């Protein structure tokens, strides 16, 4: 490239993206970012994937970051571009997603600009970090600072770019800040000794891993510790699939747990949690952690006791702490609990292998399909190596049970803010550059809110994506509240459009499933799919399981 003093700011921003290894960017162009995007594509050889809505662009970067395990990048324009992205930013913040969002800003000397907005307070209100572009002298430094912070703070960082800087000449020198290695350390304290005593005294210990322990090294160490103390293994939702293949893997702990997992976890008398926040859902509203001694291990002191108060907390690396606990027990010649047994392994295997039977005979469903039966059949049609994304709705627990993710990176999260409608944009981002097929399970209300906006975007991006819509013609959670109080749920019911026809009008093959014959045709279409396909499951709103 030319010397830095001879390129405009928008070109320097694009160059900085290339220096940071960014090859894919999501966004929506406007007068505050269009020249930067053009430079990214034209001069850096990058790929720009345009969304139909700014919130969707941020969600696509959110999904891409999760699936690829690296920083996601999105760009939006000023004013309404930012306000349209607020919900998506909050979702990414609460999901601890490392992202950089390049956000335009209006000229500071034009107070009557139609899209003028005091943007910094809006950005910080979402919980995202803020970097203000200081001027042509600091373009590369400010870009490097945004990427550095996104990595170490594990949240979106918004770079605020005033439009009046775009054609000024950059005077900065290219720079990439080196992210320091996270040094693993082994705790040595009275707390560790007390934790070993608690574990040694347990009759029915459980080893629980969260997202903070979702690495290959931690996985192996936790499996060794669990075997040493005779404990089954479980994970939080965000660490789904971490212990796949282990005969004592109970799967997810919490509101989406299997019956065998719930029974076993309730029986446990001690939980050793590594990198797990122990939130409301992992604890199944608190019920799974009652009357148990809890040892919580986390690399961050702030995470200890942030949600559930442990008996003892230890600040330390998950893998090294687990190995240290096992070594101390060996040194003291402390026996394991003996809780593991062939019968426990058999019950876990039987639960994992046996499909849930449909809840109702077909003739009683009156043109609808049983949700469990449909999801289990479609699950068999998709490769086990897949990305699994879910929108939010009362179907979500059943969806996560029927469609397990193969590993933590394969679970694509978009439900941290409790909003419906975020699933499809997030799934598109996950599918881009992925070698795995991606499955999205959405409700009809959520699909109308956010999915319909980006269905054509999915086709344009050419991704391998299966969209499953759970169509009960209602806002499900509200339907449940009305019916639980013996009230008329009429205002929660909707007459949605024919999703198959809508999909086909946008060039996406669609299938409507009302019975088992339809289901088999749809499953065969999923098995043969290499692009985007939409499956609309017609459900009885009175027969959709709540949890």
């Amino acid at each position: 490239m030319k010397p830095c003093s001879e390129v405009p700011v928008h070109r320097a921003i694009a160059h900085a993206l290339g220096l940071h290894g960014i090859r894919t960017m999501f966004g929506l162009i406007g007068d505050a970012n269009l020249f930067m995007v053009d430079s990214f594509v034209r001069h850096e050889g990058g790929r720009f994937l345009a969304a139909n809505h700014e919130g969707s662009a941020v969600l696509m970067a959110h999904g891409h970051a999760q699936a690829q395990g690296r920083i996601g990048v999105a760009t939006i324009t000023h004013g309404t571009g930012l306000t349209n992205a607020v919900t998506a930013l909050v979702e990414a913040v609460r999901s601890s997603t490392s992202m950089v969002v390049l956000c335009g800003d209006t000229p500071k000397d034009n107070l009557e600009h139609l899209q003028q907005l005091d943007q910094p307070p809006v950005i910080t209100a979402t919980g995202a970090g803020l970097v203000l572009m200081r001027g042509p002298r600091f373009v590369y430094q400010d870009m490097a600072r945004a990427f550095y912070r996104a990595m170490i703070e594990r949240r979106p960082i918004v770079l605020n770019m005033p439009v009046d800087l775009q054609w000024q000449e950059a005077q900065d020198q290219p720079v990439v800040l080196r992210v320091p290695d996270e040094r693993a350390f082994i705790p040595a304290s009275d707390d560790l000794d007390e934790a070993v005593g608690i574990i040694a005294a347990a009759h029915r210990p459980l080893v629980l891993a969260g997202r903070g322990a979702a690495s290959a090294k931690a996985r192996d160490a936790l499996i060794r510790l669990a075997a040493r103390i005779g404990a089954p293994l479980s994970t939080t939702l965000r660490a789904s699939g971490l212990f796949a293949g282990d005969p004592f893997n109970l799967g997810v702990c919490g509101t989406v747990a299997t019956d065998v997992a719930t029974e076993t976890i309730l029986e446990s008398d001690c939980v050793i949690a590594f990198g797990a926040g122990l939130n409301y859902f992992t604890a199944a509203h608190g019920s799974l952690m009652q009357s148990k001694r809890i040892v919580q291990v986390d690399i961050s002191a702030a995470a200890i006791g942030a949600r559930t108060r442990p008996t003892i907390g230890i600040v330390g690396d998950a893998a090294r702490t687990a190995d240290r606990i096992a070594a101390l027990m060996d040194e003291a010649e402390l026996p394991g609990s003996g809780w593991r047994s062939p019968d426990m392994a058999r019950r876990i295997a039987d639960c994992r292998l046996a499909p849930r039977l449909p809840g109702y005979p077909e003739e009683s469903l009156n043109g609808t399909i049983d949700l469990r039966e449909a999801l289990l059949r479609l699950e068999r049609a998709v490769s086990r190596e897949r990305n699994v994304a879910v929108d939010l709705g009362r179907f979500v627990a059943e969806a996560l049970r029927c469609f397990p993710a193969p590993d933590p990176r394969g679970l694509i999260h978009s439900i941290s803010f409790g909003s419906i409608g975020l699933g499809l944009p997030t799934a598109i981002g996950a599918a881009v550059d992925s070698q795995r097929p991606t499955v999205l399970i959405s409700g009809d209300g959520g699909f109308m809110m956010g999915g319909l906006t980006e269905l054509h975007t999915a086709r344009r991006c050419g991704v391998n994506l299966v969209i499953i819509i759970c169509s009960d013609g209602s806002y499900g959670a509200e339907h449940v509240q009305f019916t639980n109080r013996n009230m008329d749920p009429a205002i929660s019911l909707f007459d949605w459009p024919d999703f198959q026809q809508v999909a086909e009008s946008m060039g996406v093959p669609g299938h409507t499933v009302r019975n088992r014959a339809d289901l088999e045709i749809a499953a065969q279409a999923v098995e043969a799919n290499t692009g985007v396909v939409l499956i609309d499951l017609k459900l009885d709103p009175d027969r959709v399981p709540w949890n």
Side-chain angles (χ1 to χ4, degrees):
M1 90 177 255
K2 297 178 181 179
C4 298
S5 60
E6 297 180 13
V7 299
V9 166
H10 68 79
R11 174 72 181 89
I13 295 170
H15 183 229
L17 289 172
L19 290 175
H20 285 85
I22 302 305
R23 296 294 175 262
T24 300
M25 177 166 57
F26 305 88
L28 206 65
I29 59 172
D31 61 356
N33 64 355
L34 76 167
F35 300 113
M36 179 272 293
V37 171
D38 178 75
S39 290
F40 176 68
V41 174
R42 186 186 306 273
H43 299 291
E44 299 301 323
R47 177 171 54 161
F48 176 69
L49 297 176
N52 293 332
H53 188 274
E54 289 87 357
S56 298
V58 173
L59 290 169
M60 290 176 192
H62 169 54
H64 195 253
Q66 294 179 67
Q68 297 296 315
R70 57 176 182 257
I71 293 176
V73 176
T75 183
I76 56 179
T77 192
H78 43 50
T80 55
L82 173 60
T83 56
N84 281 345
V86 164
T87 297
L89 281 171
V90 177
E91 170 64 34
V93 167
R94 297 194 179 183
S95 295
S96 300
T97 302
S98 294
M99 295 170 52
V100 170
V101 179
L102 305 175
C103 179
D105 200 355
T106 54
K108 296 308 176 187
D109 61 354
N110 186 356
L111 299 180
E112 296 186 18
H113 192 290
L114 192 61
Q115 294 186 340
Q116 195 279 330
L117 177 72
D118 187 7
Q119 294 191 170
V122 176
I123 294 166
T124 56
T126 68
L130 171 66
V131 172
L132 296 173
M133 184 166 284
R134 293 169 290 171
R137 293 176 53 200
F138 305 103
V139 176
Y140 286 97
Q141 293 182 44
D142 292 339
M143 285 286 289
R145 194 153 53 97
F147 276 89
Y148 180 87
R149 289 184 57 189
M151 183 61 73
I152 64 171
E153 296 176 24
R154 295 177 182 172
R155 61 170 174 161
I157 304 297
V158 179
L159 180 71
N160 204 63
M161 311 179 300
V163 66
D164 47 328
L165 296 180
Q166 300 291 304
W167 285 95
Q168 295 185 34
E169 288 191 353
Q171 301 167 25
D172 199 357
Q173 292 297 319
V175 60
V176 175
L177 298 179
R178 180 173 177 174
V179 177
D181 292 336
E182 289 188 356
R183 298 295 181 184
F185 59 90
I186 306 172
S189 66
D190 292 341
D191 288 343
L192 180 61
D193 294 337
E194 184 176 345
V196 171
I198 290 171
I199 295 167
H203 298 289
R204 297 177 300 280
L206 170 76
V207 171
L208 174 67
R211 187 186 184 193
S215 69
K217 185 178 290 187
R219 175 188 188 275
D220 293 344
L222 298 190
I223 287 175
R224 288 193 295 269
L225 175 63
R228 171 63 178 82
I229 65 177
L233 295 146
S234 186
T235 71
T236 66
L237 181 60
R238 297 299 300 275
S240 295
L242 183 65
F243 300 124
D246 190 280
F248 292 96
N249 172 32
L250 295 169
V252 175
C253 172
T255 52
V256 301
T258 64
D259 293 341
V260 169
T262 299
E263 292 168 6
T264 306
I265 295 166
L266 284 171
E267 290 175 9
S268 67
D269 59 5
C270 174
V271 175
I272 309 104
F274 293 85
L278 302 177
N279 64 29
Y280 185 75
F281 300 102
T282 299
H285 307 171
S287 64
L288 294 181
M289 299 297 149
Q290 289 179 358
S291 304
K292 297 183 187 347
R293 305 187 83 180
I294 299 173
V295 176
Q296 186 179 8
V297 180
D298 204 286
I299 197 72
S300 169
I304 304 292
R307 293 180 175 88
T308 297
R309 185 178 297 277
T311 309
I312 195 75
I314 300 172
V315 178
D317 172 76
R320 295 194 176 209
T321 302
D323 282 340
R324 183 58 180 160
I325 290 171
L328 289 173
M329 292 188 69
D330 289 343
E331 291 171 10
E333 298 183 346
L334 297 171
S337 67
W339 191 29
R340 282 189 176 192
S341 68
D343 180 65
M344 178 187 287
R346 179 189 56 77
R347 288 189 294 114
I348 292 172
D350 288 347
C351 179
R352 188 181 299 124
L353 295 174
R356 293 181 177 222
L357 296 176
Y360 307 96
E362 186 171 29
E363 58 270 18
S364 73
L365 292 172
N366 298 319
T368 61
I369 192 77
D370 180 81
L371 177 61
R372 292 190 187 98
E373 180 180 12
L375 291 178
L376 286 168
R377 176 63 186 95
L378 295 172
E379 189 274 337
R380 295 197 302 273
V382 180
S383 168
R384 296 291 295 177
E385 290 297 314
R386 61 198 176 206
N387 299 321
V388 178
V390 291
D391 210 316
L392 197 60
R394 60 170 165 167
F395 60 87
V396 70
E398 201 62 50
L400 289 166
R401 293 188 190 105
C402 293
F403 261 95
D407 50 46
R409 188 175 290 180
L411 179 69
I412 308 303
H413 207 267
S414 65
I415 57 177
S416 296
F417 192 27
S419 172
I420 68 172
L422 309 185
L424 183 55
T426 305
I428 293 170
V432 169
D433 297 328
S434 179
Q435 299 302 309
R436 300 173 170 182
T438 299
V439 179
L440 167 70
I441 307 170
S442 175
D444 45 5
F447 186 76
M448 284 294 293
M449 182 180 291
L452 201 58
T453 307
E454 301 298 342
L455 182 58
H456 189 259
T457 303
R459 190 193 69 78
R460 283 191 290 107
C461 290
V463 293
N464 187 338
L465 176 62
V466 177
I467 302 167
I468 301 172
I469 304 177
C470 302
S471 294
D472 60 3
S474 73
Y475 282 149
E478 289 69 24
H479 185 277
V480 168
Q481 292 192 55
F482 281 127
T483 55
N484 282 349
R485 295 176 181 270
N486 296 316
M487 297 172 64
D488 183 356
I491 64 170
S492 70
L493 299 175
F494 295 87
D495 182 18
W496 302 122
D498 185 318
F499 292 129
Q500 178 179 345
Q501 291 185 7
V502 170
E504 290 174 348
S505 74
M506 296 187 184
V508 174
H511 297 270
T512 302
V513 176
R514 298 183 181 276
N515 52 50
R516 287 174 185 152
D518 293 340
L519 178 60
E520 189 58 32
I521 293 170
Q524 292 174 12
V526 169
E527 289 170 349
N529 179 60
T530 57
V532 183
V533 63
L534 181 145
I535 311 297
D536 184 15
L537 304 178
K538 295 302 184 184
L539 309 174
D540 183 338
D542 293 317
R543 289 177 169 175
V544 177
W546 174 237
N547 53 40

